[in-house]
Structures are given as C-alpha cells and as structure tokens.
Amino acid sequence: MTDTLDSTDLAHLRRAIDLSIAAREHGNHPFGALLVAGDGRVIEAENTVLTDRDVTGHAETNLVRRVWKEVDAAELPASTLFTSCEPCAMCCGAIFWAGIGRVVYALSGTGLIDIAGGEDDGAALDLPSREVFAHGGRAIAVSGPHLEDEAAEPHRGFWG
C-alpha cells in the first residue's frame, strides 16, 4: 500500500537513498535514514554494522539514538523518519519506543530480500513494518514503498 508523496517528501527520501550510498562507500551495508523533526530540523544517520562491529548499527537505530540526544521527545510524534529501505522489526521497535509519528520508506523489505537472495544464510526476518507497528498501542503512519528502483541500486552487487 502506497500513497502519493509531495516534492519535499520525495527529496527527503532521495536523501535517505544518498545516505545508503554513502554507507556502502564507508564500508557498511547500504542503508540510510533521516528524521525531519517537528521544528523542521533534519538529522541523518547511516548503517554502521560492519565498521562498528555492531549488529544493531542499522541506519534507523543509529538515527533514533542520535535523535533522542538532540530532539525533545514531545516533538517526535510530529516528526517523520525517511529511510532507504523498509525498517526491520528491530528498527520498528526503536521507532515505536522513540515515539516517532510517521515513517516513509523506499525499498520494500521483500524487495531487499529479492536482491540479497540467499546471501544472508537464511537470516532474513521477513516481517513487514506495518505488521510490527499494528501491534503497538499507538498508531504510526507508514508510507511506502516509494522509488524502489532508485533505492535498489546501492544494493546491486553488494550482497552477491
């Protein structure tokens, strides 16, 4: 299920894809995310799983850690997290507990699994973000997938 994004949302989503390219260039998995806070501030993060040797170093969890240091929690329900790929279950938990009100993603989780193939030794956790958020006690608006071809590009040749 997708909805139409405005030009500002598309620009933020393309920036998240740019961050995924940067993460790959920095020796990490190609994922990037940013948050547009309620006051308009933009905070960015990349995946750092490989360089930090931390399996929880996903772009979204890194972003949530940073956001909690820089943004008043009262602003987070009016904030939007843009990410290059649909958040995994772990990242959805971090987003939920942070209180972020909206998530916009590019590449779907199933699209990523299709690209990565069997390279993860069966470690894929195929649990759509909408399903994870549906079990929370507070609604989180989810929009995606969008720009899947653009978002898939940084993954091509990475997982093989």
Side-chain angles (χ1 to χ4, degrees), residues 117-141:
E119 294 304 314
D120 63 4
D121 297 325
L125 182 58
D126 187 7
L127 185 58
S129 60
R130 284 178 178 86
E131 188 172 335
V132 176
F133 292 137
H135 291 277
R138 165 180 56 72
I140 295 175

Side-chain angles (χ1 to χ4, degrees), residues 1 3 18 25 35 43-44 46 49 58 70 82 91 103 123 129 139 142 147 154 156:
M1 173 172 138
D3 58 320
D18 288 344
E25 290 170 351
L35 181 112
I43 300 167
E44 301 179 342
E46 299 175 5
V49 167
H58 292 196
E70 298 181 24
F82 293 88
C91 292
V103 174
S129 60
V142 179
L147 307 174
R156 297 198 198 292

